[in-house]
Amino acid sequence: TPGRMPSLLGSVVGIFSGLSYIGIASTPADLYLEWHGNFVLLAFSSFLLIVILYTIAILLNKGYPNLFAYVYLVFAVLLAVYLWLLFAGPNDIRIQATGQKVIVYAEIICMFIQAYGAWNIEKSRLTTIPD
């Protein structure tokens, strides 16, 4: 299928991003601020790339509802704003930490929508397959 390559690339980047999220959790900011900050930048930057790649994959796949690409696009805008906050926004740890919490919750909601949608699509495919 045409969306296979961006989906595969998104999955590879996803492994890297997942490891970066583990790095965030393993390096508390109050003990390892520099490491924590590096993992934050790596995790969220790579996650933006994942979202873009999966958006492309969904749009190229005629059998998958574009609604889920639009959900990714909304999240991509939020994530881009958060990355701007990290790179160019105010150098206030409270603002950046609050932004991080907001984007993590948005990420959880986005991933829930994606997972629930994929589950429903797969469930409907399985129920429409003749025996």
Side-chain angles (χ1 to χ4, degrees), residues 76-120:
V77 169
L78 293 172
L79 188 52
V81 168
Y82 172 66
L83 289 169
W84 170 85
L85 178 69
L86 284 179
F87 290 114
N91 194 12
D92 182 337
I93 192 74
R94 290 173 295 169
I95 292 173
Q96 291 191 358
T98 301
Q100 183 179 354
K101 302 318 178 248
V102 168
I103 201 65
V104 166
Y105 285 120
E107 188 173 57
I108 290 168
I109 292 167
C110 178
M111 292 301 101
F112 175 79
I113 292 169
Q114 298 298 334
Y116 186 73
W119 178 71
N120 277 328

Side-chain angles (χ1 to χ4, degrees), residues 3-118:
R4 189 170 184 85
M5 186 54 74
S7 177
L8 182 61
L9 285 171
S11 297
V12 170
V13 176
I15 293 168
F16 174 78
S17 185
L19 292 172
S20 297
Y21 278 95
I22 291 170
I24 293 170
S26 301
T27 57
D30 59 336
L31 297 177
Y32 308 103
L33 183 59
E34 185 177 348
W35 279 97
H36 182 82
N38 289 335
F39 282 123
V40 165
L41 293 176
L42 289 171
F44 289 103
S45 297
S46 61
F47 204 84
L48 181 58
L49 179 57
I50 294 164
V51 169
I52 292 167
L53 289 167
Y54 282 146
T55 299
I56 293 167
I58 291 170
L59 292 173
L60 290 174
N61 185 338
K62 301 296 182 212
Y64 209 88
N66 285 347
L67 170 68
F68 298 101
Y70 303 142
V71 170
Y72 270 141
L73 285 174
V74 169
F75 177 67
V77 169
L78 293 172
L79 188 52
V81 168
Y82 172 66
L83 289 169
W84 170 85
L85 178 69
L86 284 179
F87 290 114
N91 194 12
D92 182 337
I93 192 74
R94 290 173 295 169
I95 292 173
Q96 291 191 358
T98 301
Q100 183 179 354
K101 302 318 178 248
V102 168
I103 201 65
V104 166
Y105 285 120
E107 188 173 57
I108 290 168
I109 292 167
C110 178
M111 292 301 101
F112 175 79
I113 292 169
Q114 298 298 334
Y116 186 73

